[in-house]
Structure formats: C-alpha cells, structure tokens
Amino acid sequence: MNKQVLIAGGGIGGLAAAIAAVRADWDVRLFERATQFSEVGAGIQLGPNVVRRLQAWGLQRPLQKVVASPTALRACSAVSGRELGRLPLGADMVHRYGASYVTIHRADLHQLLLQALQDLPAVHLNLSQTVTSYAEQDGVITIRTSSDKLIEGDALIGADGVRSAVRAQMLGDGPPRVTGHLAYRAMVHQAQLPKRLRTSEVTAWLGPQLHAIQYPVRRGELQNLVVIVQGPPPDDLDHWDHSANLPDLLQHLKGTCSYLQDLIQHVPDAGGEWRLWPVADRVPVSSSGQMAQGLVALLGDAAHPMRPYLAQGAGMAIEDAAELQSALSMHDLDVSLRLRRYALNRWQRNARVQERSLRNGRIFHATGVMRWGRDLSLRALGGRIMDVPWLYEGSL
C-alpha cells in the first residue's frame, strides 16, 4: 500500500509537488483554499534549469504548445532607451545548457501541471479547503482543514505560499517582510499594440529606483509587462484591492524614455489592465531545518519567498519538487529522513538564488555612481555578465 502525502496549496508549487509524489509512488491528497483552480494573468520566465525538470516529467510536448521562445535577453536604459547588453537565447541556450529558455503565461503553466494530475487514481484534489494546522504523533501527520475535518497522512508538504499557515506553525517566524517595492503588472494582446511596441525578446529596462520587464507569452500572442517601483505598501495587505491607477504609474516613470512611456500608456488600448502587487520576501534560508522538520516540509514560496529580480520564484518551486521526488523515492528510509534529505539538498541553492535576487534588485534600481558603473559594465561585457551558468546548470 502506497504512503500518502498531504499537500497544502494548489498553486504551481503544490501541483508540482503532487506530480513529484505520484512519480515517487505516493498517493496524494491536495488541499486548495480557492473554489476553483486558477492563476492570475501574469507571466513567468523559465530558464533551462527549470525546463529540464518539466521535460523529465514528460511535459515537453504540452509545454511547447503554450510557451513563447524569446530570441534574446536584453538590458536597456529606462532613461535613454539605449541597449546596454544582450544575451542570445534560443539555440544558444539549448547548446550550453541542454534545454531552452522560455516564457509562459502563469495560467498556462498552472493548467499544464493540473492536466498532468487529473484523472490519476492516486491523486485527490480538494477545493475550498485550507490546511489550518497539523499534529504529528507516532509516525502519522494529522491536518485540520478550514471545514474542521481531520485527515491523516504519512507526510505534509506546505506549498501554501508566502503567507503559509504550515510555515507559521512549523517555524513561528512571523509574517514575510515588506520590501518597499511595488509591482505593477499587465498582460496585453500583441496584435493590438503598434508594431514598434511588440516584442519577441525579454527586455529589462533599468532605471533609478525602478525597472520594467517586457516579454512575449502564449506563443507570442500576448505580451507580459511588469514595472517595479519603490514606494510604501497598502495599509491592509490581506484585504486590499489590487487595481492600479495608470496616472500613478506614469508619475513613477517621469524621466524615462518615450518608448517605455508609450508602451505603458498603450496597455488599456491593447486589452490590458494594470494591477498592483506589493513585493514580499524573507531573509535567505539559513539551514535545512527551515525547510523540513519531522514529517513536514516546506516548498516554493512557503519555504523561500524571493524578490523577482532573477526570475526564479516558480523555477525554484519546480526544482524543489524534483528534489522532493528523489527524496520520497528512497523507500528504504523513514519518511522523516527522506524529508530531511530533501531539505539538505535544497536549502543552500535556494539561499543562493534569494541572495542573488536581492543583489540584482540593487543593481537594477541603482542610482549615481553605481548606476554609471552598471551601464558601463553591461556595454563592455554584455551577455557575459547576463549569463548565469551556475543557475542554468543547476549547481550550487
């Protein structure tokens, strides 16, 4: 009889954990608080380190049907509009790292993972159910759900996001920290944009105390836009409205180049709507005990929420799940040892990505002499400093 893993959270991390568990011959009971499985209209960049994991799960064909394949990663000045550096993607990435660099609509990735699980007899997906607490005794983990049900299993995976209830009980380290960075996000139809504003590349527009990212998703039919600025967060992070005001965003962008301002202003005309999200994170992971204790492990944002300046939030959740599969497959070990092995093999890499994301944020938003040095380095070295071999190869 297969062991049973309980998973809190049905986002990308939770679904990836469920795929990993099934492939390790475990039964899955997943609990998602929403009334239906869905994701917000945002884009995700998937480096070759992540694409290789999806390929290993047999998802290459459905992935190729929905992604865009950008031709290059560019860094440009948000003030002058000049290109500062360029890293070719496409075949170059496949040659160096064994997989492509792709961009995808968050909802498309979520649906791809969900379809891989549906109709599997070993998987039970439960909607409108939140894991509120757990107890561990005699080799059994028991969760309590928001409907006051008690459910037993052999392991619990907390994949319930940046404000994880599982983490709160396991570590008791309080809420995530407010970063002072705000993300304006929009998704538009490329065909409804003027041709000069459409793109087949990933472009990072770097400015003082702000940056913007644009790239294609969904086979190039849509363009994802993110502008991150520095400013105070909303007063009530749990209940505030995510609607954003275009004049407020344009005020942040005063002094930036005409191309970027034109692109931002065309969002409503191209079927888009600006939404606002405060960026939250935690200090980098400092030990394996912060990712697993006893029969409980954390995965994705519940374990290591990070700033989006390395484009690896979803990627690290999928890498976590791939490592979880390896650990759960060690059938000669006690479950607690398997989860400990998972945490030991993941925490240092996650910490490095968190730290690099923090560093990139300082570089992206640089002012004064640091900004001048950044631009000079990019113009001189270009793709050599934009490439991240340790990340894309999957090493520490």
Side-chain angles (χ1 to χ4, degrees):
M1 185 175 179
N2 289 349
K3 289 188 178 296
Q4 179 168 257
V5 62
L6 311 176
I7 299 175
I12 287 170
L15 296 181
I19 291 173
V22 169
R23 294 180 68 88
D25 295 324
W26 283 57
D27 291 342
V28 172
R29 296 186 75 172
L30 182 147
F31 302 87
E32 164 57 35
R33 67 179 179 181
T35 57
Q36 61 182 6
F37 286 107
S38 64
E39 271 290 355
V40 297
I44 295 175
Q45 300 177 60
L46 299 178
N49 55 307
V50 186
V51 173
R52 288 197 305 271
R53 269 65 178 190
L54 296 173
Q55 290 171 337
W57 288 339
L59 299 177
Q60 172 68 10
R61 183 170 294 177
L63 184 69
Q64 285 302 117
K65 290 180 180 179
V66 294
V67 298
S69 298
T71 56
L73 173 62
R74 297 195 308 149
C76 295
S77 168
V79 176
S80 69
R82 290 179 55 191
E83 181 174 291
L84 302 172
R86 172 183 290 264
L87 174 67
L89 300 178
D92 283 25
M93 278 281 168
V94 176
H95 176 72
R96 285 201 300 276
Y97 302 117
S100 55
Y101 189 112
V102 301
T103 49
I104 188 169
H105 194 299
R106 192 175 189 93
D108 291 341
L109 177 57
H110 189 268
Q111 185 63 26
L112 183 153
L113 297 173
L114 183 60
Q115 288 178 347
L117 292 168
Q118 287 179 329
D119 302 323
L120 295 179
V123 178
H124 302 274
L125 304 175
N126 302 276
L127 292 167
S128 302
Q129 296 280 343
T130 303
V131 176
T132 58
S133 63
Y134 66 84
E136 181 179 337
Q137 187 174 9
D138 299 329
V140 175
I141 194 88
T142 303
I143 63 168
R144 184 180 295 275
T145 72
S146 51
S147 59
D148 210 31
K149 292 181 179 178
L150 295 176
I151 298 155
E152 292 184 348
D154 298 289
L156 170 62
I157 306 300
D160 46 346
V162 68
R163 290 176 175 80
S164 165
V166 176
R167 181 190 180 112
Q169 180 173 341
M170 187 175 107
L171 299 180
D173 56 354
R177 63 183 178 181
V178 176
T179 64
H181 292 208
L182 303 173
Y184 288 82
R185 301 179 184 274
M187 188 76 68
V188 298
H189 296 277
Q190 294 233 68
Q192 295 179 25
L193 289 171
K195 285 187 178 180
R196 63 187 176 83
L197 299 178
R198 301 173 194 173
T199 188
S200 60
E201 301 171 317
V202 179
T203 302
W205 299 89
L206 310 180
Q209 296 188 321
L210 65 88
H211 82 284
I213 301 284
Q214 65 173 144
Y215 55 81
V217 296
R218 196 169 288 169
R219 301 170 296 275
E221 297 163 13
L222 301 175
Q223 183 177 150
N224 183 64
L225 294 167
V226 184
V227 182
I228 298 184
V229 302
Q230 294 177 209
D235 293 332
D236 186 351
L237 291 178
D238 290 325
H239 302 101
W240 70 295
D241 184 352
H242 291 273
S243 60
N245 189 301
L246 178 57
D248 289 345
L249 176 55
L250 290 173
Q251 185 64 30
H252 283 292
L253 292 172
K254 283 182 66 175
T256 59
C257 65
S258 59
Y259 176 93
L260 186 55
Q261 295 200 36
D262 286 350
L263 179 62
I264 299 310
Q265 293 188 71
H266 269 89
V267 163
D269 298 331
E273 176 188 14
W274 285 107
R275 306 285 282 168
L276 181 61
W277 303 84
V279 177
D281 72 349
R282 293 186 183 272
V283 297
V285 183
S286 60
S287 71
S288 62
Q290 291 182 321
M291 288 192 62
Q293 295 182 14
L295 300 178
V296 183
L298 302 176
L299 182 147
D301 282 350
H304 43 73
M306 58 189 67
R307 301 187 189 188
Y309 305 133
L310 195 55
Q312 284 289 323
M316 289 302 101
I318 291 170
E319 280 196 11
D320 284 350
E323 185 60 43
L324 180 67
Q325 177 183 332
S326 296
L328 293 181
S329 299
M330 297 176 179
H331 298 292
D332 55 336
L333 295 181
D334 290 341
V335 173
S336 61
L337 289 176
R338 299 185 217 184
L339 296 183
R340 184 182 177 199
R341 181 71 61 88
Y342 153 76
L344 285 169
N345 288 341
R346 286 300 301 163
W347 79 266
Q348 292 179 76
R349 179 164 167 85
N350 285 322
R352 186 175 185 185
V353 173
Q354 286 177 293
E355 289 163 354
R356 182 62 177 264
S357 298
L358 287 167
R359 174 177 173 267
N360 277 7
R362 293 190 292 270
I363 293 171
F364 286 8
H365 290 203
T367 60
V369 174
M370 185 176 178
R371 176 184 162 210
W372 177 84
R374 175 201 68 198
D375 292 356
L376 182 65
S377 297
L378 281 167
R379 284 194 293 265
L381 299 173
R384 279 189 286 171
I385 61 173
M386 296 169 70
D387 199 3
V388 196
W390 66 265
L391 177 64
Y392 299 143
E393 288 170 355
S395 60
L396 284 176

